[in-house]
Amino acid sequence: SVHARLLMLQGRIALERRDGADAREALRAATALVGSPIEAYFWLGEALAGHNTPDARAAYEHFMESEPTGPLAARARRALERE
């Protein structure tokens, strides 16, 4: 959905600003919507890494199920190896 994509982009911007709380809020909201872009799960994993490891792992795993060879897959795989 367009709304989910907008929330994902807001989350990515918050990550770039190093505003983890806003990033986590936007990305959780994006992934809760039907039709959310699969990349939202990757970025949610990034936003949660170090804060909520089980949820970060779940977000990365969900992403990898749909995009095992996508452009962000190598980063997700490395993150899962660190968890």
Side-chain angles (χ1 to χ4, degrees), residues 25-47:
E25 182 180 340
L27 292 162
R28 282 186 193 275
T31 57
L33 296 173
V34 173
S36 66
I38 194 62
E39 297 91 354
Y41 289 90
F42 171 82
W43 295 112
L44 178 59
E46 294 285 286

Side-chain angles (χ1 to χ4, degrees), residues 1 9 12 15 18-19 26 29 36 38 42 51 60 67 82:
S1 81
L9 293 173
R12 287 188 63 189
L15 277 174
R18 301 196 188 287
D19 185 347
S36 66
I38 194 62
F42 171 82
H51 295 278
Y60 285 129
E67 294 287 329
R82 285 192 310 265

Side-chain angles (χ1 to χ4, degrees), residues 37-78:
I38 194 62
E39 297 91 354
Y41 289 90
F42 171 82
W43 295 112
L44 178 59
E46 294 285 286
L48 292 172
H51 295 278
N52 189 335
T53 303
D55 284 351
R57 174 173 280 286
Y60 285 129
E61 287 174 346
H62 185 88
F63 172 78
M64 291 296 295
E65 288 172 9
S66 296
E67 294 287 329
T69 60
L72 299 174
R75 283 178 62 184
R77 204 169 357 274
R78 282 192 304 274

